[in-house]
Amino acid sequence: MTGQNPADTGRSREPERPLDRADHAVDADPDGPAGHGESRWPMAAAVIASAMLTLLLPDDLRLGPRWALPLAEGLLLVALIAGDPGRISRRSTVLRAVSIALVVVLAGSAIWSTIQLIDDLIHGGTETNSASALLLAGGSVWASTVLAFSLLYFELDSGGPAARAHHMPHSPALAFPQQLNPEVSPPNWRPRYIDYLYLGFTNSTALSPTDVMPLAPWAKCVMILQSIVSLIILGLVVARAVNVLA
């Protein structure tokens, strides 16, 4: 028979206790993913606005029939809302694919309209002989590019809005002022769609980063492309409109 260690006889074994919630919440976010999930309605409003701008474009600046792109964008948006209504917090491969498809449709449509507008300005088009028609068409194309690129940043940065609701990476693709200087931001700050809309607008007007710094190579390439597109639209449309008015 094996003897018992005398050192063990003096020890009092502590009774086991069930793990409470605090044992699992050391590294957990106190608000949880739902608390940081962004409302889908700002993003949905941007998609609807882009569809309305497409309807305002002349036929030669639009990709496909008048109803085709708005219908495709509407169906993709309805699928996203049905799959993750309310706040964007559900991580799903299918929803992620639908979101990327929607952004591709919006960005492709905006770039196509830009190319067609440039062609009309160079070779002459129906809207290029009227300053008001040209400014309306050019403004619609420019606004469409701002919305498309803002949604592109929104969907690609840090894995998308659903991923950001669960976890913010230490090395984001786009560095906002609140991330560069946490002292000026509230705890557990996340970028929202309005932040990406502001990025898209300022990059299209200043033609360079303002306060949001691109860190990832893809972010730098996309911002370069957006600046080129905006520069071409603003430069050629304004110059042509001035010539028509003169």
Side-chain angles (χ1 to χ4, degrees), residues 43 71-81 97-99 101-103 105:
M43 168 265 184
L71 178 61
E73 295 162 2
L75 291 175
L76 292 171
L77 179 61
V78 169
L80 288 176
I81 295 175
V98 173
S99 299
L102 178 57
V103 170
V105 171

Side-chain angles (χ1 to χ4, degrees), residues 153-176:
Y153 299 132
F154 175 74
E155 290 294 342
L156 295 186
D157 183 35
S158 302
R164 291 193 298 271
H166 290 262
H167 172 70
M168 283 296 295
H170 295 292
S171 300
L174 296 165
F176 289 85

Side-chain angles (χ1 to χ4, degrees), residues 2-12:
T2 303
Q4 187 176 8
N5 189 343
D8 294 336
T9 59
R11 295 177 182 173
S12 59

Side-chain angles (χ1 to χ4, degrees), residues 133-182:
L134 178 59
L135 291 175
L136 177 61
S140 298
V141 173
W142 183 83
S144 296
T145 62
V146 171
L147 293 173
F149 278 95
S150 68
L151 289 168
L152 191 150
Y153 299 132
F154 175 74
E155 290 294 342
L156 295 186
D157 183 35
S158 302
R164 291 193 298 271
H166 290 262
H167 172 70
M168 283 296 295
H170 295 292
S171 300
L174 296 165
F176 289 85
Q178 292 88 338
Q179 295 166 312
L180 296 175
N181 187 7

Side-chain angles (χ1 to χ4, degrees), residues 206-222:
L207 307 178
S208 64
T210 53
D211 60 350
V212 182
M213 295 296 106
L215 303 182
W218 72 260
K220 297 179 181 180
C221 293
V222 171

